[in-house]
Amino acid sequence: MDTALKTAPATTTQEIRTITGSQALCEAMIQEGVKTIFGYPGGAIMPIYDALYGYEDKLEHILVRHEQGGIHAAQGYARTSGRTGVVFATSGPGATNLVTGLADAMIDSTPLVCITGQVFAHLLGTDAFQETDVINITTPVTKWNYQITDATEIPEILAKAFYIAGSGRPGPVLIDITKNAQLQAFEYKGYKPCHHIRSYRPKPVVRKSYVEEAARLINEAERPFVIFGQGVILGGAEQEFKAFIEKAGIPAAWTILGLSALSTDHPLNVGMLGMHGNYGPNVLTNECDVLIAIGMRFDDRVTGRLDKYAKQAKVIHLDIDPAEIDKNIKATVPVWGDCKETLPMLTALVQQKAYPKWLDKFRECTKREDEAVFQGELHPTTPILSMGEVIDTLNHITDGNAIIVTDVGQHQMVACRYAKFNQSRSNVTSGGLGTMGFALPAAIGAKFGAPDREVVAVIGDGGFQMTLQELGTIMQSGVKVKIIILNNNFLGMVRQWQELFHDRRYSSVDIQSPDFVALAAAYGISGQSVSDRPLLKPALEAMINHDGSYLLEVMVGKENNVFPMVPQGCGVAEIRLK
Amino acid sequence: MKQEYTITVYTENQVGLLNRIAIMFSRRKINIESLNTSPSEVEGIHRFTIVINETEDVVRKLVRQIEKQVDVLKAYYNTNDEIIWQELALYKVPTDEIAEKVKVERLLREHGARAVVIRKDYTIFETSGHREETDKLISVLEPVGLIEFVRSARVAIIKESRGFHEKLKEFEETEPHPSTRENEYLDQGENVFVM
Ligand SMILES: Cc1ncc(C[n+]2csc(CCOP(=O)(O)OP(=O)(O)O)c2C)c(N)n1
Ligand SMILES: [Mg+2]
């Protein structure tokens, strides 16, 4: 390797100097304010890692144990910090290992810039060692992607990448850089951030007339209902959102990605939407007269059967992405735009109101759900622990101040249903893709993104085994994450469906696990396993008070089910309490 | 009801964009009947013309998804009566056969065709028009030993279009043009809000 390349970082001044493509990439990272990169080296990205060696004091690189872990960590980082997550991976298998994370980030609108190494440009298309067509593999799961074969393109393309990833409806961007471009020296003219692309309009123009029509519908409503999603968080519009619902006096329910945008104990927060959401928000969706959807996309897990969804209601849809309007649910009034801008406009036009009778209906529903579900879940009478009481006990210890990162399955639904949050950007979960294995690496990234906050990962025994190699990343980086494994000895969510819809034919859901505590110990991570109620609270306290990472395994009921549930193919009002 | 729609997509000319657009159709199991790419009248702006058979609801959603792509400036969809379109066809036939059996001059006149190449062994005719028209010439030439036939993708111009210069300006302006169709309820104007 050319050692002359391993010089000090290039300066950021406008003076023209000769640097390599790899150095230009590092410069771009610094100019974009990147501090942490999650990645894994390999042949086709070695010049970039070589340059990184010279930037060690400015760019922290976290060596993960698998590129999927790297990209999920970057997602966790982006979700808690609000900044763009960055991932490096080599060509071929390194790049293909990113695909799950790209798909996850794409569907959950998470801003990422992924850099993949690629074989020399002259080898493209020759089936060279570790060559894959990364651009075409990743096209459907990226907001934008681009292959660089010439170093002079690096500053401009990187600027575009960061601009596209973070603006408008955010998403993952992948830049594939051939090895010759990484090595190539060129005259570096400095870095100019990108603020405009001719063909790209990050936000649609706000139409005042639509906002006025929306306000009019809201002012004339008798039973208005707000449903909100991650758009509120992505737009940084939590305050604007709260001001709007408080003035208009409208009850509000959240999608799983909208969770934590509004504190869970806010009097107008009526709970969770969708398949395992709360009873009231689901049933009353079909009783409201005006449905106001804010930064959410009417996912099928939220709507259930579309032809039985809110048929009686006029629908106001606020979204930054015009393609979401009318996609699943026809909007009576579309309010295009960034809700950070449109919500204050709407707030100015709506009347100060309250709907005590309408709100009472939600309370009645909560009462029914309490009797049918909450009591059994939070205060079980059996000696075996339930997932709900673990989360409930955790709430008391953290006071709703922790970031909770969940994996996918029953534990995810239970955690999202019962966790208390009083700050935004506190709930990190794989919503749209439902990626098992997400939580452990995402929790690592979440902690790097919000180092001053407590990060607790809640993971199933199945999902933990999908990415448990990232315990190595925890060990080596020293990042402090708290891990709760809710062990029901089953692929619980699939088992629940088999019980309810497949005559209890438990096909391949009986999963065996290693000794998780011993496994953690092998990585130098403290932990314990509990199964007795009196030990639960002390164990959770020990976990939170421990200075360092900690793994707590909680043995929970094997065949507990998550209720309520809107069975697939049913309308939201057909929600089952048991 | 399914019918033929012509989708016109204006893009920045980028390698890889063809795939990005094509997979939006294949992901939804929509067959592309015809696809043409060409420059537009605006420097640096490319134009895709895509023909599919679908319902308006599907086409409208699809066009919004296409327009969302970073490198796409604008996408439109039109029914056949809203556009002028042509397809070009080439026919290779044995020269001696047609010289013997066909009144070539009449054939050319009736089908708006012309001979592009005349060689001893074969002649190539060219015509353009709608599909039925180019198809008709096949049926005429088949009995005289049509050797090869090829038809191009559709190229189309939207009747109402003021050209893309204007649209581009509109796109780059801050206010959408009042005629921009965005919502089927609001576009009905007053009627919707009478409660
Ligand atoms: C990568 C991946 N594979 C398969 C699934 C399907 N799946 C959804 S939930 C689930 C079971 C999860 O089991 P576990 O992690 O133990 O959580 P539990 O439901 O028991 O809380 C499975 C297999 C998935 N979501 N992701
Ligand atoms: Mg399990």
Side-chain angles (χ1 to χ4, degrees), chain A residues 136 199 201 205 220 321, chain B residues 19 64 68 70 171 174 195:
Chain A
N136 281 308
S199 58
R201 210 190 237 185
V205 175
E220 287 170 13
D321 178 359
Chain B
N19 181 44
R64 282 208 181 139
K68 181 165 134 180
V70 170
F171 179 75
T174 45
M195 280 194 272

Side-chain angles (χ1 to χ4, degrees), chain A residues 387 410-411 460-463 486-493 511:
Chain A
M387 291 183 178
Q410 290 184 315
H411 64 280
D461 47 319
L486 295 178
N487 189 348
N488 54 9
N489 279 299
F490 264 125
L491 297 176
M493 186 57 94
I511 188 167

Side-chain angles (χ1 to χ4, degrees), chain B residues 1-2 39 75 77 79 89 98 129 136 138-139 152 173 182:
Chain B
M1 186 201 55
K2 281 195 184 183
Y77 65 93
T79 53
I98 51 156
K136 222 184 275 163
I138 301 184
S139 58
S152 76
E173 269 167 21
E182 289 180 336

Side-chain angles (χ1 to χ4, degrees), chain A residues 307-323:
Chain A
D307 59 2
K308 292 186 177 175
Y309 185 80
K311 283 292 159 203
Q312 78 295 342
K314 298 230 158 44
V315 178
I316 298 168
H317 193 175
L318 286 75
D319 210 289
I320 198 166
D321 178 359

Side-chain angles (χ1 to χ4, degrees), chain A residues 35-51:
Chain A
K35 297 209 167 52
T36 310
I37 296 162
F38 302 92
Y40 209 94
I45 197 169
M46 285 187 67
I48 288 173
Y49 273 85
D50 186 63

Side-chain angles (χ1 to χ4, degrees), chain A residues 136 139 142 144-145 164 198-199 201 205 207 210 213 216 220 321-322 325-327 330-331 334 336, chain B residues 12 19-20 57 61 64 68 70-72 171-174 176-177 182-186 193 195:
Chain A
N136 281 308
T139 294
T142 50
W144 190 65
N145 61 9
I164 292 168
R198 190 189 195 183
S199 58
R201 210 190 237 185
V205 175
R207 288 203 174 192
Y210 289 4
E213 290 300 346
R216 194 172 124 199
E220 287 170 13
D321 178 359
I325 308 286
D326 295 347
K327 186 183 82 178
K330 285 256 186 305
W336 268 272
Chain B
E12 300 246 48
N19 181 44
R20 201 172 260 285
D57 194 44
K61 287 176 189 172
R64 282 208 181 139
K68 181 165 134 180
V70 170
D71 296 311
V72 171
F171 179 75
E172 284 172 349
E173 269 167 21
T174 45
H177 192 268
E182 289 180 336
N183 180 271
E184 73 181 60
Y185 293 91
L186 279 187
F193 295 102
M195 280 194 272

